Amino acid sequence: MSIETGSALELDDIQAAALQPRPTPYAGFYLALRVDDRRQGRELLRRLTPVLDSVASFDPERQVSLAVALSFQGLKALGVPEESLATFPEEFREGMAARAEYIGDVGESAPENWEGPLGSKDVHLILAGLAPDALRLETVLLLARDALRDLPGAVVIWQQDVHVGPDEKEPFGFRDGIGQPAIEGTGIPGTNPHEKPLIRAGEFIIGYKDETHGIAPVPQPDVLGRNGTYVAFRKLHTRVADFRQYLRDRAKDPADEELLAAKFVGRWPSGAPLSLTPDKDDPELGADPERNNAFMYGDDPEGLKCPVGAHARRMNPRDAVVTGEVRLHRMIRRGTTYGPSLPKGVLEDDGADRGIMFAFVGAHLDRQFEFVQRQWVNDGKFIGAPAEMDPLIGVNNDGGFTVPRQPIRRRFKGLPPFVVNRGGEYCFMPGLSALRWLSDLDT
């Protein structure tokens, strides 16, 4: 029987990585594995489960975490019975590559252009590790290597290392990881004191009531689905030089160039939001976690401070008047950066692979991640600009981007794709009891 609202979240059964914020700075890794022998795959889970932190056991001083998630093909490879597999939602069963066109992964971002083996049926299991520095990350890597020892039937087929310095800046040069929801019953503070009431836990963890007062479908048996969540992993390659050159070509002077970049993103490079400081960057504000996300958009309906189509505003419109109920589409977003930074001022691409490993966490792949991708990133109807897409991560075409101002707005056309999806997958992050159930399968 599924958990009812009002009962305490089983924090000792939820993987810490599902809800705990990442450290700053951080070093980390993603490993994709293929399971060739189901019994060895189960043995891997049996070895990993005791070393995984739950939300309750997570040590905020160490800030070291390891997470395990499985694709639909991975659950099949482990021998999960068909009657259980059939209880997972359709979008998860199909996988990200099969739904690429639906969510806007077209053109250069289409699966035929993805980095192998991403998008294939060989990605069965994802291990993700994070720590405040490379030295502490090594202990996490050792745990993963020890678990894999003498298990040739569980093969590492892909690895992506991630890292960020104390400034938390992503490849485009903007402070990242600021806006996270406050979730009822977790005790983990959100970053926006104006987001009230707290978001119901069932939006993010399966088995609890959500914002519709319903419960997301719980994969069966109940022990398998309860306290789990879905994760959408994406490797997003960033074209930093193209972004800089586009702005340079259209800016009046260096100050205008910085302002235009902030208008595209919705924040200044320091992380200070345009909504609180629309005319110039405020590094002190940007560095203050008590203030840098404490704002709403309702007092800026026309987008004179922060454009209604800016990236950050599209991803979370807050209290702005838009088509759709914002609280039904809130997401936990775990972005981590990879690759070398492009030196400041460089306008030519150096050929290096740099970008963001994006991870969505939530209980509803369809109305959270997929809805935001389709409606808020790659469509503008919800803000009254049907032809416009997200100026930073949208597919982009001639729809352009509008920067409201008085007396005359500024319109930007011919936006190239500044971000290209290099591949990804939909995964299920089980609770710890579910991992034990999986490791004990005998099919």
Side-chain angles (χ1 to χ4, degrees), residues 193-224:
H194 302 297
E195 186 173 58
K196 296 178 180 178
L198 303 183
I199 306 292
R200 287 177 177 264
E203 289 296 314
F204 309 101
I205 304 297
I206 297 170
Y208 303 84
K209 285 198 174 179
D210 60 25
E211 289 292 311
T212 70
H213 301 279
I215 296 175
V218 182
Q220 295 299 303
D222 201 62
V223 66
L224 173 60

Side-chain angles (χ1 to χ4, degrees), residues 245-302:
Q245 187 66 61
Y246 184 90
L247 298 175
R248 177 69 57 86
D249 290 344
R250 289 155 181 81
K252 302 170 186 173
D253 52 47
D256 186 48
E257 187 177 338
E258 184 180 38
L259 175 63
L260 288 181
K263 293 287 187 179
F264 273 59
V265 175
R267 290 182 181 271
W268 295 95
S270 73
L274 285 172
S275 293
L276 297 181
T277 177
D279 299 321
K280 63 178 181 178
D281 200 354
D282 183 345
E284 185 177 332
L285 170 62
D288 187 346
E290 300 293 324
R291 298 189 297 141
N292 64 17
N293 200 44
F295 67 92
M296 301 298 264
Y297 292 120
D299 64 344
D300 186 28
E302 296 180 357

Side-chain angles (χ1 to χ4, degrees), residues 129-186:
L130 275 178
D133 52 57
L135 183 62
R136 278 177 278 189
L137 182 68
E138 188 62 29
T139 65
V140 186
L141 274 167
L142 286 173
L143 289 173
R145 292 188 190 119
D146 285 346
L148 283 162
R149 186 168 289 128
D150 301 321
L151 295 178
V155 186
V156 176
I157 58 174
W158 180 82
Q159 178 171 347
Q160 180 64 62
D161 296 325
V162 296
H163 57 86
V164 81
D167 63 5
E168 293 187 84
K169 290 189 176 179
E170 45 75 74
F172 289 113
F174 289 78
R175 190 182 185 96
D176 194 24
I178 294 174
Q180 298 296 345
I183 304 167
E184 186 178 57
T186 65

Side-chain angles (χ1 to χ4, degrees), residues 171-173 237-250 257 340-352 354 392 416-419:
F172 289 113
H237 172 72
T238 54
R239 291 176 167 163
V240 179
D242 287 355
F243 182 65
R244 292 176 181 175
Q245 187 66 61
Y246 184 90
L247 298 175
R248 177 69 57 86
D249 290 344
R250 289 155 181 81
E257 187 177 338
S341 298
L342 185 67
K344 191 172 182 178
V346 173
L347 299 178
E348 293 186 6
D349 183 33
D350 60 0
R354 59 177 57 86
L392 196 64
F418 298 123
V419 174

